[in-house]
Structure formats: structure tokens, C-alpha cells
Amino acid sequence: MIALRQLKRVPKNHKIVIEVPENIDENQIMEVILLFKEPPKNSRLDKLTQLKASQHDGLFLADLQAVSDDFTDVDYEDW
């Protein structure tokens, strides 16, 4: 089995052309599955708002500190 992925935008006429590689035999059976990506739920503005709010999120800040502490010893090593 050969898997081929092509990402396409839906055009105004709602018709999509699939490009089949030349090395695929003529009259070979293909299975075509259309998967539609969900539009992003968060806009850029929502993401920026969440990022700004993270400055006051205690759990996020504790996780950030824990990761920083994990690398303290490495930070002082000579490279």
C-alpha cells in the first residue's frame, strides 16, 4: 500500500483535483478519504490573552520554576 497526503483548500467551485504519481499503474484501485480540518477555536487575540493571563497562573509559574530548577546544575557547567 502506498499512502499519499495532499493538503488542499476548498475552492469556490468545491471541486478538488487529486494528483496521482506517474509510477502508479493506470486503472489501479484507489481509496480516497476526505478529512476536514477543524478551524482553529482560538483566535490570535484569544491566544495572546491566554499568554498574558499565564503570568498570574500559580500552577503554570510553579511548573516553569520546576523546569528551571532542573537545569540549574547544567547552567553552571563549562561548555
Side-chain angles (χ1 to χ4, degrees):
M1 177 166 86
I2 297 173
L4 177 65
R5 181 178 184 190
Q6 297 178 21
L7 295 177
K8 308 257 185 194
R9 292 197 180 273
V10 177
K12 196 179 262 190
N13 66 2
H14 284 72
K15 294 184 182 185
I16 295 176
V17 175
I18 299 171
E19 292 118 18
V20 179
E22 293 290 329
N23 63 329
I24 302 298
D25 294 333
E26 190 174 321
N27 293 321
Q28 184 168 340
I29 303 265
M30 289 186 347
E31 178 178 359
V32 178
I33 301 172
L34 298 176
L35 300 173
F36 299 94
K37 292 188 172 271
E38 293 290 327
K41 293 185 181 1
N42 293 341
S43 69
R44 187 171 190 276
L45 182 59
D46 290 339
K47 291 176 184 178
L48 286 172
T49 302
Q50 291 173 352
L51 189 59
K52 288 178 183 176
S54 70
Q55 299 176 67
H56 308 291
D57 182 342
L59 185 58
F60 173 74
L61 294 173
D63 286 345
L64 195 60
Q65 185 63 50
V67 170
S68 179
D69 291 346
D70 288 342
F71 288 95
T72 301
D73 294 336
V74 176
D75 288 341
Y76 293 110
E77 289 184 10
D78 290 330
W79 290 84

